[in-house]
Amino acid sequence: VLGFDAISAQVRLVDKQFGYQEDLDLLYIFGENINFFNSVVRKGCVEVAHLCGMMASELGEDPAIARRSGLMHDIGKLYLLRVFDAMVAETPAEELPPFELVQEVLDQAHCEVGYRLLLSWNLPDVYLGIVREHHAETVTEGNLPLQIVRLANQACNRAGIGLRPDASIVLAATPEAHVLRASDVALA
């Protein structure tokens, strides 16, 4: 069983190993300092973790696993932001990719990158699956912790927390809400 101290140590390791520093060159690639994107992703992970713990408690699932899963679900984005940070430090400004390409890479690759990172740390399969599948197109009914993370992530996006805010999301209409049997009242 992976305890809170072990998870905290891993998060601190990632923070130390892939820590961010201010760099004015980053204004070109992101339009704002990369620390803004880093803080948005981190805040989203913390909020998703909080919601996951609450939902898991309500559903009779393990809130500790749900919180840890929510905390780690976007670890691939943090890693990729660090890669882009290093790229900016080594690349002339005129050769940097456009922001849209960076966003596309973050969107498309962060699940697999996060999965591989957690795999290299030998973390339990429950976390590996959630990190890898939290944006999968199909909903797997048997994996309730995954559905909790997916729904919490959408709730944060609906509330404007994250890199892709979307106030039009109707949480009760999501496949995840259906699988979790979450009502409009419970989701409010």
Side-chain angles (χ1 to χ4, degrees), residues 99-179:
F99 172 73
E100 293 78 16
L101 177 60
V102 172
Q103 186 69 47
E104 182 74 18
V105 170
L106 284 174
D107 288 346
Q108 298 299 319
H110 81 275
C111 294
E112 184 65 24
V113 168
Y115 167 79
R116 289 176 184 264
L117 186 61
L118 295 185
L119 185 63
S120 74
W121 292 341
N122 297 314
L123 293 181
D125 288 343
V126 64
Y127 303 114
L128 295 171
I130 289 169
V131 168
R132 188 179 213 175
E133 301 297 324
H134 73 275
H135 287 299
E137 289 187 27
T138 58
V139 174
T140 307
E141 290 197 28
N143 190 340
L144 294 185
L146 173 61
Q147 301 318 316
I148 290 169
V149 170
R150 288 171 59 113
L151 187 59
N153 194 35
Q154 290 179 67
C156 285
N157 289 336
R158 183 176 185 276
I161 300 167
L163 293 178
R164 296 278 192 187
D166 184 355
S168 70
I169 295 172
V170 179
L171 294 174
T174 64
E176 296 80 10
H178 175 72
V179 168

Side-chain angles (χ1 to χ4, degrees), residues 10-87:
Q10 293 292 344
V11 171
R12 283 193 301 276
L13 175 67
V14 170
D15 188 44
K16 181 178 179 184
Q17 187 173 0
F18 305 112
Y20 294 90
Q21 61 184 25
E22 286 193 26
D23 186 339
L24 294 178
D25 290 339
L26 297 176
L27 293 173
Y28 168 79
I29 193 169
F30 293 120
E32 299 236 5
N33 193 294
I34 200 166
N35 285 327
F36 168 75
F37 290 93
N38 180 39
S39 67
V40 168
V41 172
R42 286 176 188 228
K43 180 180 181 185
C45 289
V46 169
E47 293 297 326
V48 167
H50 177 71
L51 288 174
C52 285
M54 290 180 0
M55 285 192 277
S57 292
E58 290 289 321
L59 295 167
E61 294 292 316
D62 186 337
I65 288 175
R67 279 192 301 273
R68 290 178 195 128
S69 299
L71 185 62
M72 290 188 280
H73 82 283
D74 273 348
I75 193 114
K77 282 184 183 176
L78 293 171
Y79 182 83
L80 288 168
L81 284 169
R82 177 60 187 113
V83 169
F84 289 128
D85 184 25
M87 183 178 72

